[in-house]
Amino acid sequence: MLTEPVALMLLLSVAGVVLNIILYRLQSLQMIVSFLVFAAMLALNLQLYGTIGETLVLPVVVFGQAMSFAVSPLAFYFTLMITSITLLTVIFSLESLRGKACTQAYYLWLFLKTFGMLGVVFAADLLTFFLLWELMTWGTFFLMQQTGGESFSPAKKYVVYAVSSSMLLFLGIALIHAWTGSFSFREVAAAFPHMPEGMMLLVVLLMTVGFAVESAMFPLHAWLPESYASTFTSLTSYLSGISTRMGIYGLILLLFGFVGHELADRFQLIGVINLRYIVSIFGALTIIIPTFTALFQHDAKRLVTWHGIGQGGYMILGIFSANALGIAGGIFHIFNYMTYVTLILFSIAAVEYRTGTSNLNKLGGLIKRQPVAFLGLLFGIIGLAGIPPMNGFVSKWFIYKALITEGYPFLAISAIIGTLGTILSVYKLIHNIFLGQLQPEYNEIKEVPFLMQLPIWVLMLAVFATGVFPGPILSLIAEIQSSFGLAPVPYTMTGVDPAAGTLDMLVITTVFIGGLLLAWIVFLLGHKRRHVSQYQNYAAGHFLDESIPYNFNYNFYTGFEHIFNPMKKKVIARTEVAVSSLVEAAGDYLRRIYTGNLATYAMYIMAALVVTSLFLKELI
Amino acid sequence: MSTVLWIIFYPIIAFAIGVILLGYGRKFNARVQRRYGPPIQQVFYDILKLMSKRTNISHGWMHDTALVMLLGGTLLTLYFIPVPGFDFFSGYGDFLVVMYILLIPSLGMALGVGETANPNGSIGISRALQMLAGYDIPFALTFIGMAILAGTTNFSEIIALQQAEGIFGWGLMTNPFLGVAALIALHGMMGEKPFEVMVAPHEIATGPMTEMGGKYLGMMMIQHALNVVIELTIYINLFLGGAANWASYLVKLFVLMTLILSVNALFGRFRVDDAVRFMWKVPLVLAVIGVLIIIL
């Protein structure tokens, strides 16, 4: 059976790679071709909806398994995000990277990465899944070092993490195959509940940790901020928007596709504490620690990438909540996060395009020069902070509500603590870039060209529209939940069913707009206003002009620094010493393996061969 | 029909109550300091004077929009908090919604103050946001505790549950730890001394209000009046059993306001990190104890 759009989409992304190799160094042709191919892929993706449930089997056989692809509701949801955000990134890059050096391979790696991600979400067997997962991580690695030079070393760090996580995944998949004798998702899912408990726990742990690395879950997040922030900002947005969330895709597949909540709850430790709860605790830590780290960053891109880690925690809390609302919220948050984080990073890229810097201590007052970028960032941060009426609020509301309903007060409060930390750091972001005093050297800059504004406008609309009308996306999510045999979320076009909770975004937005109109009338009641320059300002009787820096942006939250710095000294410094001495001691023991004696090495190789052959016999 | 009338007249009623509460506050402070104090309607005169000023200085469009967002967001919050006889909108947004629409006015003001390009204003906002993280964590936890206890996040249902059992059904009675924690957090939320770090006239020239004058300051005062009513009503609804009629509602408002004013009159000002530390120590620990009592 052949599903045309799937085959065509995979084929098109491979064609994109090939075309980009042929057109190497012909930058403008590369740009046009890439744009057209990605636009075609988005068009195909929209047709995909009618083919949900169909499968595609390629005549390629590896380990006795033909490569097979299927269109599930979850796959459709993810491909929709992948193709649309890739197209927006390409449109944005057309202008922002025009004429820049070392971008010959930019679109090539973008296509490779897209191919990997599409393959991963379409895959219908574990082997295809793993092969394309590997391809995808290599795509990420090459995208990370597009700017060359200094970006190589953080990218190397990512590869170390990614390869180790792949090994864990591989081991998990090998164990599953050894037990079930199949790679196909359907057969694995059927055989999974009959696995011996110890083996099941091992498989679940291996794969959870493997996916947790890709989704940058605490404490496996250290690779992310620097590697994402050191590449082009358009790629920072692309990578944080969708690439990190492939780990969450893996977790959803593992938890709902194979294990299921009932099984996950079987691994009881003490009382109510089970595996699901432990993962949720790590989810909560993933929210709090990176969000409060973001607060003290001095670089806009790095600040946002720290939030990329933190927001992943909400998805984990939602997905692992075992509640229809919570699961829907977790899955919905993936979409919402993608829209607002790309919006934020595109706006930062627009500023960087004109000023050449994303250093929060050097900017300020740009609202008067780049109002569109300001509006984009404003919509984005309202979404990120989860304030109505933007979409981030809706998915977070689902998660809070689910955690309260299920009786997890401390998980719920950590989600709220994360939101408060987010509000603090995003205000610093928008204040230090756009508000405050305009620096004299940026007096002459202009708004970015139209092609760069277009994705910002589109995303602003998306962030607002899916906030007021979450229904269409929630209907997709309800389908995903039904396809996994879960209770679908009781949604309406503008919120949730009154029987399940109290939320109607349309009413909230309407009342808000009414309130704004009334406030505007009150504003007009007063006498006319007069605009003054930023130098006509209260300065305790002193006179201000261009030569006087009269701005507050360095160390924006000094009070918190007073609170956290002693803690940092006590806790983090001591932990660092403890961990490093542990690693040193372990390394000292490991070092003894390398005796420098050839005979010993030969013995190692023999031993490894024996073990592998024993294991292979088991495997095949 | 009555709903339409409520929608039209409720902001005016709430504004009147807020102005009287603020005027009462001035009078109370004056009497504590052995002054005679201004007449109780002085706040209203001040707002009238500011709104009719001829000089209105603007630093740009966000500065103007901020005031609209400030007042508009406050009106939105006002509608979603039930008062006796009017809880039409609480069926469309629960307490979680209220907690986050409460942030819209603060965000609007923060953006506007940022555009005025005065470091005093920015420092004021930085302090206000740090205080927000200070008081909102214990406050949110007390709410989560109450929601788990009541089994709902809907305001009207929480009120109905409390009223069913008379005075002993009040949140403050059924769970005193949460009630006291929320009371301290409320004090921080209202920005009264010793948590008055945001305005701090002697340190940062009234902070966010530094560059505000004329109708801008007037609108901020209108918002302040509404905000006082909002914050006190939230506490009344969660912990003092809501109110069955307007008489008991007004009594509860004035009693709670008097309590907060008396603490305000006694204290000086905390430094911002001390204020946040206090919030993360005393009310947060009380709230954690309260929640543990509920879930265990």
Side-chain angles (χ1 to χ4, degrees):
Chain A
M1 214 184 337
L2 187 100
T3 314
E4 268 179 41
V6 177
L8 275 175
M9 276 170 78
L10 292 172
L11 207 66
L12 272 179
S13 43
V14 177
V17 174
V18 175
L19 279 172
N20 268 291
I21 296 174
I22 296 172
L23 298 174
Y24 202 71
R25 286 189 191 284
L26 299 172
Q27 210 198 15
S28 36
L29 267 180
Q30 265 186 347
M31 278 172 12
I32 295 164
V33 166
S34 306
F35 170 69
L36 289 176
V37 174
F38 277 121
M41 274 164 74
L42 181 60
L44 277 173
N45 198 95
L46 294 175
Q47 287 177 18
L48 209 62
Y49 188 67
T51 67
I52 285 179
E54 292 181 26
T55 51
L56 162 80
V57 181
L58 288 187
V60 187
V61 180
V62 194
F63 278 119
Q65 169 69 48
M67 289 186 90
S68 54
F69 300 96
V71 192
S72 65
L74 184 66
F76 176 72
Y77 180 68
F78 265 86
T79 51
L80 196 66
M81 293 197 281
I82 294 169
T83 46
S84 51
I85 211 65
T86 317
L87 185 65
L88 286 179
T89 309
V90 169
I91 294 175
F92 192 82
S93 317
L94 290 181
E95 195 72 49
S96 72
L97 292 183
R98 199 166 61 180
K100 281 218 173 148
C102 67
T103 53
Q104 293 99 339
Y106 178 86
Y107 297 102
L108 193 159
W109 298 124
L110 211 54
F111 273 112
L112 186 79
K113 169 86 183 157
T114 313
F115 176 64
M117 288 201 290
L118 288 178
V120 164
V121 294
F122 281 136
D125 65 86
L126 281 171
L127 201 64
T128 313
F129 179 87
F130 180 73
L131 290 176
L132 289 162
W133 181 273
E134 279 297 278
L135 195 68
M136 182 188 84
T137 47
W138 285 103
T140 315
F141 171 63
F142 287 114
L143 283 176
M144 275 174 182
Q145 35 166 311
Q146 281 300 298
T147 45
E150 285 174 11
S151 63
F152 184 58
S153 114
K156 261 195 317 200
K157 198 164 155 193
Y158 166 71
V159 153
V160 173
Y161 270 94
V163 169
S164 347
S165 82
S166 301
M167 288 302 109
L168 295 179
L169 281 183
F170 184 72
L171 197 55
I173 290 171
L175 284 174
I176 288 177
H177 186 260
W179 174 257
T180 62
S182 168
F183 286 118
S184 149
F185 281 176
R186 198 172 303 150
E187 286 169 37
V188 170
F192 213 91
H194 309 298
M195 237 186 234
E197 207 149 277
M199 180 136 153
M200 191 173 6
L201 184 62
L202 183 63
V203 169
V204 169
L205 279 182
L206 284 172
M207 296 189 78
T208 308
V209 174
F211 291 132
V213 171
E214 185 66 23
S215 65
M217 199 163 137
F218 178 84
L220 305 167
H221 63 281
W223 57 271
L224 191 142
E226 211 176 325
S227 60
Y228 279 9
S230 58
T231 184
F232 293 126
T233 313
S234 54
L235 283 178
T236 311
S237 76
Y238 177 71
L239 290 174
S240 9
I242 192 72
S243 167
T244 328
R245 302 288 83 106
M246 297 312 287
I248 304 282
Y249 173 81
L251 284 174
I252 295 175
L253 195 67
L254 178 70
L255 184 65
F256 302 137
F258 303 152
V259 185
H261 277 312
E262 295 77 20
L263 234 61
D265 287 355
R266 225 163 67 186
F267 303 117
Q268 293 278 342
L269 294 181
I270 328 148
V272 291
I273 297 174
N274 54 31
L275 191 64
R276 201 161 52 74
Y277 192 64
I278 291 172
V279 178
S280 297
I281 290 174
F282 277 103
L285 289 176
T286 312
I287 295 176
I288 296 176
I289 295 172
T291 304
F292 277 83
T293 313
L295 209 60
F296 302 111
Q297 299 301 312
H298 294 295
D299 182 89
K301 282 158 77 176
R302 202 171 281 202
L303 190 148
V304 180
T305 52
W306 274 107
H307 279 298
I309 305 172
Q311 297 292 307
Y314 287 96
M315 298 161 200
I316 288 164
L317 277 190
I319 290 163
F320 282 79
S321 66
N323 176 298
L325 275 180
I327 295 168
I331 300 176
F332 191 24
H333 203 62
I334 303 173
F335 174 84
N336 294 345
Y337 164 78
M338 182 199 75
T339 50
Y340 57 66
V341 91
T342 31
L343 178 55
I344 290 174
L345 281 161
F346 280 164
S347 310
I348 292 173
V351 170
E352 206 187 3
Y353 181 73
R354 288 299 191 209
T355 62
T357 178
S358 58
N359 186 334
L360 288 174
N361 297 333
K362 291 186 177 160
L363 296 163
L366 288 173
I367 180 175
K368 297 203 169 52
R369 299 288 175 268
Q370 297 194 299
V372 175
F374 170 77
L375 272 182
L377 188 63
L378 180 60
F379 273 55
I381 64 165
I382 297 179
L384 177 64
I387 296 176
M390 302 305 170
N391 60 10
F393 171 71
V394 184
S395 46
K396 281 187 181 175
W397 184 91
F398 278 49
I399 296 166
Y400 303 140
K401 173 83 183 167
L403 292 173
I404 292 174
T405 316
E406 293 294 314
Y408 294 127
F410 296 110
L411 293 181
I413 193 68
S414 44
I416 289 175
I417 292 175
T419 303
L420 291 169
T422 311
I423 291 168
L424 261 70
S425 63
V426 295
Y427 181 70
K428 173 182 168 176
L429 184 69
I430 201 165
H431 175 272
N432 286 11
I433 297 177
F434 287 104
L435 305 174
Q437 206 186 28
L438 182 67
Q439 307 298 318
E441 66 258 41
Y442 300 131
N443 228 341
E444 303 301 322
I445 63 169
K446 281 187 299 225
E447 191 60 77
V448 287
F450 175 71
L451 269 185
M452 285 173 77
Q453 285 182 27
L454 183 69
I456 294 180
W457 286 110
V458 170
L459 285 167
M460 267 161 69
L461 186 70
V463 168
F464 181 69
T466 51
V468 183
F469 297 103
I473 309 280
L474 286 174
S475 76
L476 270 179
I477 291 166
E479 269 181 60
I480 296 172
Q481 288 177 311
S482 313
S483 76
F484 284 120
L486 302 165
V489 53
Y491 69 97
T492 63
M493 208 30 80
T494 55
V496 285
D497 197 70
T502 323
L503 182 73
D504 192 323
M505 289 304 289
L506 186 62
V507 173
I508 296 173
T509 315
T510 315
V511 177
F512 183 37
I513 291 172
L516 287 181
L517 282 175
L518 191 60
W520 190 47
I521 291 169
V522 174
F523 184 75
L524 290 182
L525 281 178
H527 285 276
K528 265 187 83 173
R529 67 192 190 282
R530 187 163 61 87
H531 284 283
V532 295
S533 108
Q534 62 177 353
Y535 300 112
Q536 288 192 5
N537 215 317
Y538 169 78
H542 198 79
F543 299 100
L544 292 176
D545 59 48
E546 289 198 359
S547 62
I548 299 168
Y550 195 56
N551 209 4
F552 177 71
N553 57 14
Y554 185 70
N555 280 358
F556 200 75
Y557 296 115
T558 29
F560 273 16
E561 278 174 19
H562 269 268
I563 298 174
F564 288 125
N565 277 348
M567 243 191 263
K568 233 192 309 194
K569 268 187 201 137
K570 272 185 205 153
V571 182
I572 297 182
R574 276 182 203 170
T575 319
E576 215 172 79
V577 170
V579 170
S580 66
S581 58
L582 193 75
V583 170
E584 253 174 42
D588 204 43
Y589 278 103
L590 278 176
R591 196 168 48 82
R592 294 178 193 175
I593 295 174
Y594 300 98
T595 52
N597 188 345
L598 269 184
T600 332
Y601 289 156
M603 226 168 68
Y604 289 154
I605 293 170
M606 281 300 291
L609 278 177
V610 169
V611 170
T612 322
S613 59
L614 280 178
F615 199 68
L616 268 182
K617 214 170 160 189
E618 189 89 351
L619 202 67
I620 303 168
Chain B
M1 189 58 214
S2 70
T3 308
V4 178
L5 285 179
W6 269 109
I7 291 176
I8 296 169
F9 290 107
Y10 179 47
I12 299 168
I13 300 170
F15 173 66
I17 299 173
V19 166
I20 295 169
L21 280 173
L22 288 180
Y24 168 64
R26 285 195 192 178
K27 198 89 182 164
F28 186 93
N29 260 340
R31 289 295 161 89
V32 169
Q33 295 163 359
R34 306 208 171 189
R35 287 186 283 119
Y36 183 73
I40 214 153
Q41 68 273 29
Q42 183 62 42
V43 179
F44 183 68
Y45 295 155
D46 287 351
I47 291 172
L48 260 184
K49 176 198 76 179
L50 287 168
M51 288 305 290
S52 49
K53 281 238 176 185
R54 287 189 178 277
T55 322
N56 293 305
I57 298 293
S58 166
H59 278 275
W61 61 271
M62 192 65 232
H63 187 181
D64 308 339
T65 317
L67 273 301
V68 175
M69 225 169 129
L70 178 72
L71 195 53
T74 309
L75 287 169
L76 166 67
T77 327
L78 197 64
Y79 281 125
F80 275 83
I81 300 170
V83 287
F86 181 56
D87 64 348
F88 178 71
F89 286 108
S90 66
Y92 298 100
D94 56 7
F95 183 80
L96 288 167
V97 173
V98 170
M99 216 163 78
Y100 287 95
I101 52 183
L102 259 178
L103 297 173
I104 297 177
S106 326
L107 180 73
M109 187 176 72
L111 292 169
V113 170
E115 206 191 8
T116 60
N118 192 302
N120 290 310
S122 297
I123 293 171
I125 294 299
S126 151
R127 290 177 171 201
L129 288 172
Q130 290 173 77
M131 269 317 285
L132 171 79
Y135 63 72
D136 232 24
I137 293 173
F139 197 78
L141 192 57
T142 58
F143 163 69
I144 291 170
M146 286 306 285
I148 289 177
L149 190 67
T152 174
T153 52
N154 189 318
F155 251 140
S156 341
E157 289 171 23
I158 293 176
I159 294 171
L161 276 173
Q162 291 182 60
Q163 285 181 351
E165 290 172 48
I167 192 165
F168 293 107
W170 289 8
L172 190 61
M173 298 292 174
T174 53
N175 207 319
F177 283 104
L178 292 185
V180 173
L183 189 61
I184 302 172
L186 174 76
H187 202 93
M189 195 188 276
M190 300 199 41
E192 300 290 349
K193 282 175 200 156
F195 306 113
E196 189 218 18
V197 289
M198 167 176 117
V199 178
H202 324 85
E203 295 167 10
I204 48 172
T206 66
M209 285 173 278
T210 310
E211 276 297 303
M212 301 283 180
K215 64 177 174 180
Y216 294 81
L217 193 57
M219 280 177 82
M220 282 179 83
M221 282 184 78
I222 295 175
Q223 189 267 347
H224 186 51
L226 293 174
N227 214 23
V228 168
V229 177
I230 287 174
E231 285 159 352
L232 294 176
T233 312
I234 288 177
Y235 187 82
I236 290 173
N237 283 345
L238 279 181
F239 293 100
L240 300 182
N245 52 51
W246 273 84
S248 71
Y249 174 57
L250 289 177
V251 169
K252 281 173 185 174
L253 273 180
F254 273 88
V255 169
L256 200 54
M257 188 72 185
T258 312
L259 189 66
I260 283 167
L261 286 172
S262 347
V263 176
N264 176 46
L266 283 178
F267 281 93
R269 187 186 307 115
F270 269 150
R271 211 173 57 201
V272 61
D273 57 325
D274 288 331
V276 173
R277 260 195 215 113
F278 178 81
M279 283 294 177
W280 286 350
K281 270 180 195 156
V282 181
L284 190 58
V285 169
L286 286 176
V288 168
I289 295 171
V291 168
L292 283 178
I293 290 173
I294 287 170
I295 61 167
L296 291 180

